[in-house]
mmCIF file with all atom_site columns, all heavy atoms in Angstrom:
data_model
loop_
_atom_site.group_PDB
_atom_site.id
_atom_site.type_symbol
_atom_site.label_atom_id
_atom_site.label_alt_id
_atom_site.label_comp_id
_atom_site.label_asym_id
_atom_site.label_entity_id
_atom_site.label_seq_id
_atom_site.pdbx_PDB_ins_code
_atom_site.Cartn_x
_atom_site.Cartn_y
_atom_site.Cartn_z
_atom_site.occupancy
_atom_site.B_iso_or_equiv
_atom_site.pdbx_formal_charge
_atom_site.auth_seq_id
_atom_site.auth_comp_id
_atom_site.auth_asym_id
_atom_site.auth_atom_id
_atom_site.pdbx_PDB_model_num
ATOM 1   N N   . VAL A 1 128 ? 0.224   -2.063  33.375 1.00 54.00 ? 128 VAL A N   1
ATOM 2   C CA  . VAL A 1 128 ? 0.082   -0.670  33.743 1.00 54.00 ? 128 VAL A CA  1
ATOM 3   C C   . VAL A 1 128 ? -0.019  0.211   32.482 1.00 54.00 ? 128 VAL A C   1
ATOM 4   O O   . VAL A 1 128 ? -0.817  1.155   32.438 1.00 54.00 ? 128 VAL A O   1
ATOM 5   C CB  . VAL A 1 128 ? 1.317   -0.210  34.582 1.00 54.00 ? 128 VAL A CB  1
ATOM 6   C CG1 . VAL A 1 128 ? 1.299   1.301   34.806 1.00 54.00 ? 128 VAL A CG1 1
ATOM 7   C CG2 . VAL A 1 128 ? 1.299   -0.944  35.912 1.00 54.00 ? 128 VAL A CG2 1
ATOM 8   N N   . TRP A 1 129 ? 0.744   -0.146  31.471 1.00 54.00 ? 129 TRP A N   1
ATOM 9   C CA  . TRP A 1 129 ? 0.694   0.665   30.234 1.00 54.00 ? 129 TRP A CA  1
ATOM 10  C C   . TRP A 1 129 ? -0.669  0.612   29.596 1.00 54.00 ? 129 TRP A C   1
ATOM 11  O O   . TRP A 1 129 ? -1.156  1.601   29.062 1.00 54.00 ? 129 TRP A O   1
ATOM 12  C CB  . TRP A 1 129 ? 1.745   0.116   29.259 1.00 54.00 ? 129 TRP A CB  1
ATOM 13  C CG  . TRP A 1 129 ? 1.860   0.926   27.995 1.00 54.00 ? 129 TRP A CG  1
ATOM 14  C CD1 . TRP A 1 129 ? 1.364   0.570   26.795 1.00 54.00 ? 129 TRP A CD1 1
ATOM 15  C CD2 . TRP A 1 129 ? 2.470   2.187   27.846 1.00 54.00 ? 129 TRP A CD2 1
ATOM 16  N NE1 . TRP A 1 129 ? 1.626   1.555   25.879 1.00 54.00 ? 129 TRP A NE1 1
ATOM 17  C CE2 . TRP A 1 129 ? 2.319   2.535   26.487 1.00 54.00 ? 129 TRP A CE2 1
ATOM 18  C CE3 . TRP A 1 129 ? 3.160   3.033   28.686 1.00 54.00 ? 129 TRP A CE3 1
ATOM 19  C CZ2 . TRP A 1 129 ? 2.799   3.742   25.997 1.00 54.00 ? 129 TRP A CZ2 1
ATOM 20  C CZ3 . TRP A 1 129 ? 3.646   4.224   28.172 1.00 54.00 ? 129 TRP A CZ3 1
ATOM 21  C CH2 . TRP A 1 129 ? 3.465   4.539   26.842 1.00 54.00 ? 129 TRP A CH2 1
ATOM 22  N N   . GLU A 1 130 ? -1.335  -0.523  29.602 1.00 51.00 ? 130 GLU A N   1
ATOM 23  C CA  . GLU A 1 130 ? -2.608  -0.709  28.953 1.00 51.00 ? 130 GLU A CA  1
ATOM 24  C C   . GLU A 1 130 ? -3.772  -0.700  29.927 1.00 51.00 ? 130 GLU A C   1
ATOM 25  O O   . GLU A 1 130 ? -4.850  -1.105  29.558 1.00 51.00 ? 130 GLU A O   1
ATOM 26  C CB  . GLU A 1 130 ? -2.621  -2.052  28.157 1.00 51.00 ? 130 GLU A CB  1
ATOM 27  C CG  . GLU A 1 130 ? -1.528  -2.130  27.117 1.00 51.00 ? 130 GLU A CG  1
ATOM 28  C CD  . GLU A 1 130 ? -1.780  -1.175  25.935 1.00 51.00 ? 130 GLU A CD  1
ATOM 29  O OE1 . GLU A 1 130 ? -2.922  -0.671  25.835 1.00 51.00 ? 130 GLU A OE1 1
ATOM 30  O OE2 . GLU A 1 130 ? -0.818  -0.898  25.192 1.00 51.00 ? 130 GLU A OE2 1
ATOM 31  N N   . LEU A 1 131 ? -3.543  -0.275  31.153 1.00 52.00 ? 131 LEU A N   1
ATOM 32  C CA  . LEU A 1 131 ? -4.564  -0.363  32.196 1.00 52.00 ? 131 LEU A CA  1
ATOM 33  C C   . LEU A 1 131 ? -5.821  0.459   31.779 1.00 52.00 ? 131 LEU A C   1
ATOM 34  O O   . LEU A 1 131 ? -5.728  1.592   31.378 1.00 52.00 ? 131 LEU A O   1
ATOM 35  C CB  . LEU A 1 131 ? -4.031  0.181   33.508 1.00 52.00 ? 131 LEU A CB  1
ATOM 36  C CG  . LEU A 1 131 ? -4.931  0.021   34.709 1.00 52.00 ? 131 LEU A CG  1
ATOM 37  C CD1 . LEU A 1 131 ? -5.221  -1.432  34.984 1.00 52.00 ? 131 LEU A CD1 1
ATOM 38  C CD2 . LEU A 1 131 ? -4.302  0.691   35.944 1.00 52.00 ? 131 LEU A CD2 1
ATOM 39  N N   . GLY A 1 132 ? -6.982  -0.193  31.908 1.00 45.00 ? 132 GLY A N   1
ATOM 40  C CA  . GLY A 1 132 ? -8.228  0.505   31.652 1.00 45.00 ? 132 GLY A CA  1
ATOM 41  C C   . GLY A 1 132 ? -8.715  0.408   30.236 1.00 45.00 ? 132 GLY A C   1
ATOM 42  O O   . GLY A 1 132 ? -9.828  0.815   29.944 1.00 45.00 ? 132 GLY A O   1
ATOM 43  N N   . LEU A 1 133 ? -7.920  -0.106  29.316 1.00 56.00 ? 133 LEU A N   1
ATOM 44  C CA  . LEU A 1 133 ? -8.346  -0.178  27.939 1.00 56.00 ? 133 LEU A CA  1
ATOM 45  C C   . LEU A 1 133 ? -9.274  -1.354  27.675 1.00 56.00 ? 133 LEU A C   1
ATOM 46  O O   . LEU A 1 133 ? -10.020 -1.337  26.733 1.00 56.00 ? 133 LEU A O   1
ATOM 47  C CB  . LEU A 1 133 ? -7.132  -0.260  27.021 1.00 56.00 ? 133 LEU A CB  1
ATOM 48  C CG  . LEU A 1 133 ? -6.178  0.961   27.056 1.00 56.00 ? 133 LEU A CG  1
ATOM 49  C CD1 . LEU A 1 133 ? -5.047  0.772   26.046 1.00 56.00 ? 133 LEU A CD1 1
ATOM 50  C CD2 . LEU A 1 133 ? -6.944  2.234   26.728 1.00 56.00 ? 133 LEU A CD2 1
ATOM 51  N N   . GLY A 1 134 ? -9.205  -2.369  28.499 1.00 58.00 ? 134 GLY A N   1
ATOM 52  C CA  . GLY A 1 134 ? -10.125 -3.509  28.364 1.00 58.00 ? 134 GLY A CA  1
ATOM 53  C C   . GLY A 1 134 ? -9.920  -4.331  27.142 1.00 58.00 ? 134 GLY A C   1
ATOM 54  O O   . GLY A 1 134 ? -10.848 -4.940  26.615 1.00 58.00 ? 134 GLY A O   1
ATOM 55  N N   . ARG A 1 135 ? -8.712  -4.349  26.577 1.00 68.00 ? 135 ARG A N   1
ATOM 56  C CA  . ARG A 1 135 ? -8.455  -5.116  25.378 1.00 68.00 ? 135 ARG A CA  1
ATOM 57  C C   . ARG A 1 135 ? -7.663  -6.365  25.732 1.00 68.00 ? 135 ARG A C   1
ATOM 58  O O   . ARG A 1 135 ? -6.739  -6.325  26.539 1.00 68.00 ? 135 ARG A O   1
ATOM 59  C CB  . ARG A 1 135 ? -7.659  -4.291  24.378 1.00 68.00 ? 135 ARG A CB  1
ATOM 60  C CG  . ARG A 1 135 ? -8.423  -3.082  23.861 1.00 68.00 ? 135 ARG A CG  1
ATOM 61  C CD  . ARG A 1 135 ? -7.597  -2.332  22.820 1.00 68.00 ? 135 ARG A CD  1
ATOM 62  N NE  . ARG A 1 135 ? -6.408  -1.726  23.448 1.00 68.00 ? 135 ARG A NE  1
ATOM 63  C CZ  . ARG A 1 135 ? -5.394  -1.210  22.766 1.00 68.00 ? 135 ARG A CZ  1
ATOM 64  N NH1 . ARG A 1 135 ? -5.396  -1.281  21.441 1.00 68.00 ? 135 ARG A NH1 1
ATOM 65  N NH2 . ARG A 1 135 ? -4.372  -0.656  23.359 1.00 68.00 ? 135 ARG A NH2 1
ATOM 66  N N   . ARG A 1 136 ? -8.041  -7.482  25.073 1.00 74.00 ? 136 ARG A N   1
ATOM 67  C CA  . ARG A 1 136 ? -7.352  -8.702  25.350 1.00 74.00 ? 136 ARG A CA  1
ATOM 68  C C   . ARG A 1 136 ? -5.967  -8.742  24.693 1.00 74.00 ? 136 ARG A C   1
ATOM 69  O O   . ARG A 1 136 ? -5.039  -9.376  25.205 1.00 74.00 ? 136 ARG A O   1
ATOM 70  C CB  . ARG A 1 136 ? -8.181  -9.900  24.860 1.00 74.00 ? 136 ARG A CB  1
ATOM 71  C CG  . ARG A 1 136 ? -7.673  -11.252 25.262 1.00 74.00 ? 136 ARG A CG  1
ATOM 72  C CD  . ARG A 1 136 ? -8.609  -12.379 24.779 1.00 74.00 ? 136 ARG A CD  1
ATOM 73  N NE  . ARG A 1 136 ? -8.583  -12.516 23.329 1.00 74.00 ? 136 ARG A NE  1
ATOM 74  C CZ  . ARG A 1 136 ? -7.722  -13.283 22.646 1.00 74.00 ? 136 ARG A CZ  1
ATOM 75  N NH1 . ARG A 1 136 ? -6.781  -13.921 23.299 1.00 74.00 ? 136 ARG A NH1 1
ATOM 76  N NH2 . ARG A 1 136 ? -7.776  -13.373 21.358 1.00 74.00 ? 136 ARG A NH2 1
ATOM 77  N N   . GLN A 1 137 ? -5.818  -8.052  23.586 1.00 79.00 ? 137 GLN A N   1
ATOM 78  C CA  . GLN A 1 137 ? -4.541  -7.964  22.876 1.00 79.00 ? 137 GLN A CA  1
ATOM 79  C C   . GLN A 1 137 ? -4.190  -6.546  22.559 1.00 79.00 ? 137 GLN A C   1
ATOM 80  O O   . GLN A 1 137 ? -5.068  -5.685  22.362 1.00 79.00 ? 137 GLN A O   1
ATOM 81  C CB  . GLN A 1 137 ? -4.603  -8.807  21.593 1.00 79.00 ? 137 GLN A CB  1
ATOM 82  C CG  . GLN A 1 137 ? -4.731  -10.295 21.811 1.00 79.00 ? 137 GLN A CG  1
ATOM 83  C CD  . GLN A 1 137 ? -4.805  -11.033 20.477 1.00 79.00 ? 137 GLN A CD  1
ATOM 84  O OE1 . GLN A 1 137 ? -5.620  -10.713 19.638 1.00 79.00 ? 137 GLN A OE1 1
ATOM 85  N NE2 . GLN A 1 137 ? -3.982  -12.028 20.321 1.00 79.00 ? 137 GLN A NE2 1
ATOM 86  N N   . VAL A 1 138 ? -2.906  -6.294  22.469 1.00 80.00 ? 138 VAL A N   1
ATOM 87  C CA  . VAL A 1 138 ? -2.383  -4.978  22.091 1.00 80.00 ? 138 VAL A CA  1
ATOM 88  C C   . VAL A 1 138 ? -1.269  -5.170  21.065 1.00 80.00 ? 138 VAL A C   1
ATOM 89  O O   . VAL A 1 138 ? -0.843  -6.286  20.811 1.00 80.00 ? 138 VAL A O   1
ATOM 90  C CB  . VAL A 1 138 ? -1.829  -4.218  23.305 1.00 80.00 ? 138 VAL A CB  1
ATOM 91  C CG1 . VAL A 1 138 ? -2.951  -3.900  24.284 1.00 80.00 ? 138 VAL A CG1 1
ATOM 92  C CG2 . VAL A 1 138 ? -0.749  -4.998  24.003 1.00 80.00 ? 138 VAL A CG2 1
ATOM 93  N N   . LEU A 1 139 ? -0.816  -4.088  20.460 1.00 82.00 ? 139 LEU A N   1
ATOM 94  C CA  . LEU A 1 139 ? 0.193   -4.141  19.436 1.00 82.00 ? 139 LEU A CA  1
ATOM 95  C C   . LEU A 1 139 ? 1.516   -4.628  20.046 1.00 82.00 ? 139 LEU A C   1
ATOM 96  O O   . LEU A 1 139 ? 1.926   -4.191  21.121 1.00 82.00 ? 139 LEU A O   1
ATOM 97  C CB  . LEU A 1 139 ? 0.420   -2.777  18.824 1.00 82.00 ? 139 LEU A CB  1
ATOM 98  C CG  . LEU A 1 139 ? -0.356  -2.414  17.599 1.00 82.00 ? 139 LEU A CG  1
ATOM 99  C CD1 . LEU A 1 139 ? -0.032  -1.011  17.136 1.00 82.00 ? 139 LEU A CD1 1
ATOM 100 C CD2 . LEU A 1 139 ? -0.141  -3.412  16.451 1.00 82.00 ? 139 LEU A CD2 1
ATOM 101 N N   . SER A 1 140 ? 2.178   -5.538  19.300 1.00 86.00 ? 140 SER A N   1
ATOM 102 C CA  . SER A 1 140 ? 3.490   -5.945  19.682 1.00 86.00 ? 140 SER A CA  1
ATOM 103 C C   . SER A 1 140 ? 4.523   -5.014  19.044 1.00 86.00 ? 140 SER A C   1
ATOM 104 O O   . SER A 1 140 ? 4.174   -4.100  18.271 1.00 86.00 ? 140 SER A O   1
ATOM 105 C CB  . SER A 1 140 ? 3.751   -7.373  19.208 1.00 86.00 ? 140 SER A CB  1
ATOM 106 O OG  . SER A 1 140 ? 3.742   -7.428  17.771 1.00 86.00 ? 140 SER A OG  1
ATOM 107 N N   . GLU A 1 141 ? 5.770   -5.237  19.381 1.00 87.00 ? 141 GLU A N   1
ATOM 108 C CA  . GLU A 1 141 ? 6.827   -4.389  18.798 1.00 87.00 ? 141 GLU A CA  1
ATOM 109 C C   . GLU A 1 141 ? 6.877   -4.586  17.292 1.00 87.00 ? 141 GLU A C   1
ATOM 110 O O   . GLU A 1 141 ? 7.078   -3.617  16.538 1.00 87.00 ? 141 GLU A O   1
ATOM 111 C CB  . GLU A 1 141 ? 8.168   -4.804  19.426 1.00 87.00 ? 141 GLU A CB  1
ATOM 112 C CG  . GLU A 1 141 ? 9.330   -3.950  18.900 1.00 87.00 ? 141 GLU A CG  1
ATOM 113 C CD  . GLU A 1 141 ? 10.668  -4.281  19.566 1.00 87.00 ? 141 GLU A CD  1
ATOM 114 O OE1 . GLU A 1 141 ? 10.630  -5.158  20.468 1.00 87.00 ? 141 GLU A OE1 1
ATOM 115 O OE2 . GLU A 1 141 ? 11.678  -3.727  19.193 1.00 87.00 ? 141 GLU A OE2 1
ATOM 116 N N   . VAL A 1 142 ? 6.641   -5.826  16.797 1.00 89.00 ? 142 VAL A N   1
ATOM 117 C CA  . VAL A 1 142 ? 6.619   -6.085  15.381 1.00 89.00 ? 142 VAL A CA  1
ATOM 118 C C   . VAL A 1 142 ? 5.445   -5.326  14.720 1.00 89.00 ? 142 VAL A C   1
ATOM 119 O O   . VAL A 1 142 ? 5.590   -4.718  13.656 1.00 89.00 ? 142 VAL A O   1
ATOM 120 C CB  . VAL A 1 142 ? 6.483   -7.594  15.079 1.00 89.00 ? 142 VAL A CB  1
ATOM 121 C CG1 . VAL A 1 142 ? 6.319   -7.877  13.614 1.00 89.00 ? 142 VAL A CG1 1
ATOM 122 C CG2 . VAL A 1 142 ? 7.726   -8.307  15.634 1.00 89.00 ? 142 VAL A CG2 1
ATOM 123 N N   . GLY A 1 143 ? 4.283   -5.352  15.382 1.00 90.00 ? 143 GLY A N   1
ATOM 124 C CA  . GLY A 1 143 ? 3.128   -4.644  14.827 1.00 90.00 ? 143 GLY A CA  1
ATOM 125 C C   . GLY A 1 143 ? 3.342   -3.137  14.742 1.00 90.00 ? 143 GLY A C   1
ATOM 126 O O   . GLY A 1 143 ? 2.987   -2.490  13.770 1.00 90.00 ? 143 GLY A O   1
ATOM 127 N N   . ARG A 1 144 ? 4.011   -2.565  15.774 1.00 89.00 ? 144 ARG A N   1
ATOM 128 C CA  . ARG A 1 144 ? 4.273   -1.127  15.746 1.00 89.00 ? 144 ARG A CA  1
ATOM 129 C C   . ARG A 1 144 ? 5.278   -0.773  14.634 1.00 89.00 ? 144 ARG A C   1
ATOM 130 O O   . ARG A 1 144 ? 5.126   0.221   13.923 1.00 89.00 ? 144 ARG A O   1
ATOM 131 C CB  . ARG A 1 144 ? 4.831   -0.687  17.103 1.00 89.00 ? 144 ARG A CB  1
ATOM 132 C CG  . ARG A 1 144 ? 3.785   -0.644  18.186 1.00 89.00 ? 144 ARG A CG  1
ATOM 133 C CD  . ARG A 1 144 ? 4.304   0.110   19.435 1.00 89.00 ? 144 ARG A CD  1
ATOM 134 N NE  . ARG A 1 144 ? 5.449   -0.561  19.991 1.00 89.00 ? 144 ARG A NE  1
ATOM 135 C CZ  . ARG A 1 144 ? 5.409   -1.461  20.951 1.00 89.00 ? 144 ARG A CZ  1
ATOM 136 N NH1 . ARG A 1 144 ? 4.236   -1.877  21.400 1.00 89.00 ? 144 ARG A NH1 1
ATOM 137 N NH2 . ARG A 1 144 ? 6.528   -2.036  21.422 1.00 89.00 ? 144 ARG A NH2 1
ATOM 138 N N   . GLU A 1 145 ? 6.304   -1.606  14.475 1.00 91.00 ? 145 GLU A N   1
ATOM 139 C CA  . GLU A 1 145 ? 7.303   -1.321  13.456 1.00 91.00 ? 145 GLU A CA  1
ATOM 140 C C   . GLU A 1 145 ? 6.712   -1.419  12.077 1.00 91.00 ? 145 GLU A C   1
ATOM 141 O O   . GLU A 1 145 ? 7.020   -0.584  11.197 1.00 91.00 ? 145 GLU A O   1
ATOM 142 C CB  . GLU A 1 145 ? 8.489   -2.310  13.605 1.00 91.00 ? 145 GLU A CB  1
ATOM 143 C CG  . GLU A 1 145 ? 9.321   -2.059  14.827 1.00 91.00 ? 145 GLU A CG  1
ATOM 144 C CD  . GLU A 1 145 ? 10.445  -3.075  14.946 1.00 91.00 ? 145 GLU A CD  1
ATOM 145 O OE1 . GLU A 1 145 ? 10.470  -4.015  14.115 1.00 91.00 ? 145 GLU A OE1 1
ATOM 146 O OE2 . GLU A 1 145 ? 11.269  -2.947  15.859 1.00 91.00 ? 145 GLU A OE2 1
ATOM 147 N N   . GLN A 1 146 ? 5.850   -2.418  11.823 1.00 92.00 ? 146 GLN A N   1
ATOM 148 C CA  . GLN A 1 146 ? 5.251   -2.553  10.507 1.00 92.00 ? 146 GLN A CA  1
ATOM 149 C C   . GLN A 1 146 ? 4.344   -1.359  10.213 1.00 92.00 ? 146 GLN A C   1
ATOM 150 O O   . GLN A 1 146 ? 4.341   -0.819  9.087  1.00 92.00 ? 146 GLN A O   1
ATOM 151 C CB  . GLN A 1 146 ? 4.465   -3.868  10.425 1.00 92.00 ? 146 GLN A CB  1
ATOM 152 C CG  . GLN A 1 146 ? 5.332   -5.085  10.442 1.00 92.00 ? 146 GLN A CG  1
ATOM 153 C CD  . GLN A 1 146 ? 4.514   -6.353  10.356 1.00 92.00 ? 146 GLN A CD  1
ATOM 154 O OE1 . GLN A 1 146 ? 3.274   -6.339  10.330 1.00 92.00 ? 146 GLN A OE1 1
ATOM 155 N NE2 . GLN A 1 146 ? 5.193   -7.521  10.308 1.00 92.00 ? 146 GLN A NE2 1
ATOM 156 N N   . ALA A 1 147 ? 3.541   -0.942  11.182 1.00 93.00 ? 147 ALA A N   1
ATOM 157 C CA  . ALA A 1 147 ? 2.652   0.196   10.989 1.00 93.00 ? 147 ALA A CA  1
ATOM 158 C C   . ALA A 1 147 ? 3.422   1.485   10.761 1.00 93.00 ? 147 ALA A C   1
ATOM 159 O O   . ALA A 1 147 ? 3.085   2.288   9.843  1.00 93.00 ? 147 ALA A O   1
ATOM 160 C CB  . ALA A 1 147 ? 1.714   0.336   12.191 1.00 93.00 ? 147 ALA A CB  1
ATOM 161 N N   . ALA A 1 148 ? 4.476   1.685   11.540 1.00 93.00 ? 148 ALA A N   1
ATOM 162 C CA  . ALA A 1 148 ? 5.266   2.900   11.433 1.00 93.00 ? 148 ALA A CA  1
ATOM 163 C C   . ALA A 1 148 ? 5.949   2.953   10.062 1.00 93.00 ? 148 ALA A C   1
ATOM 164 O O   . ALA A 1 148 ? 5.961   4.022   9.418  1.00 93.00 ? 148 ALA A O   1
ATOM 165 C CB  . ALA A 1 148 ? 6.320   2.969   12.541 1.00 93.00 ? 148 ALA A CB  1
ATOM 166 N N   . GLU A 1 149 ? 6.477   1.827   9.629  1.00 94.00 ? 149 GLU A N   1
ATOM 167 C CA  . GLU A 1 149 ? 7.141   1.806   8.311  1.00 94.00 ? 149 GLU A CA  1
ATOM 168 C C   . GLU A 1 149 ? 6.146   2.049   7.196  1.00 94.00 ? 149 GLU A C   1
ATOM 169 O O   . GLU A 1 149 ? 6.425   2.790   6.253  1.00 94.00 ? 149 GLU A O   1
ATOM 170 C CB  . GLU A 1 149 ? 7.882   0.492   8.120  1.00 94.00 ? 149 GLU A CB  1
ATOM 171 C CG  . GLU A 1 149 ? 8.612   0.389   6.798  1.00 94.00 ? 149 GLU A CG  1
ATOM 172 C CD  . GLU A 1 149 ? 9.354   -0.928  6.644  1.00 94.00 ? 149 GLU A CD  1
ATOM 173 O OE1 . GLU A 1 149 ? 9.307   -1.750  7.616  1.00 94.00 ? 149 GLU A OE1 1
ATOM 174 O OE2 . GLU A 1 149 ? 10.002  -1.154  5.605  1.00 94.00 ? 149 GLU A OE2 1
ATOM 175 N N   . ARG A 1 150 ? 4.942   1.495   7.281  1.00 93.00 ? 150 ARG A N   1
ATOM 176 C CA  . ARG A 1 150 ? 3.927   1.652   6.275  1.00 93.00 ? 150 ARG A CA  1
ATOM 177 C C   . ARG A 1 150 ? 3.440   3.095   6.196  1.00 93.00 ? 150 ARG A C   1
ATOM 178 O O   . ARG A 1 150 ? 3.297   3.680   5.112  1.00 93.00 ? 150 ARG A O   1
ATOM 179 C CB  . ARG A 1 150 ? 2.783   0.705   6.524  1.00 93.00 ? 150 ARG A CB  1
ATOM 180 C CG  . ARG A 1 150 ? 1.707   0.685   5.464  1.00 93.00 ? 150 ARG A CG  1
ATOM 181 C CD  . ARG A 1 150 ? 0.696   -0.437  5.737  1.00 93.00 ? 150 ARG A CD  1
ATOM 182 N NE  . ARG A 1 150 ? 0.003   -0.269  7.007  1.00 93.00 ? 150 ARG A NE  1
ATOM 183 C CZ  . ARG A 1 150 ? 0.202   -1.015  8.096  1.00 93.00 ? 150 ARG A CZ  1
ATOM 184 N NH1 . ARG A 1 150 ? 1.106   -1.993  8.039  1.00 93.00 ? 150 ARG A NH1 1
ATOM 185 N NH2 . ARG A 1 150 ? -0.488  -0.817  9.195  1.00 93.00 ? 150 ARG A NH2 1
#
Side-chain angles (χ1 to χ4, degrees):
V128 172
W129 183 258
E130 301 292 343
L131 187 61
L133 297 182
R135 295 182 294 168
R136 189 176 68 87
Q137 292 179 309
V138 294
L139 269 180
S140 65
E141 183 178 356
V142 174
R144 288 193 298 269
E145 290 178 355
Q146 291 180 358
E149 182 178 359
R150 185 171 62 251

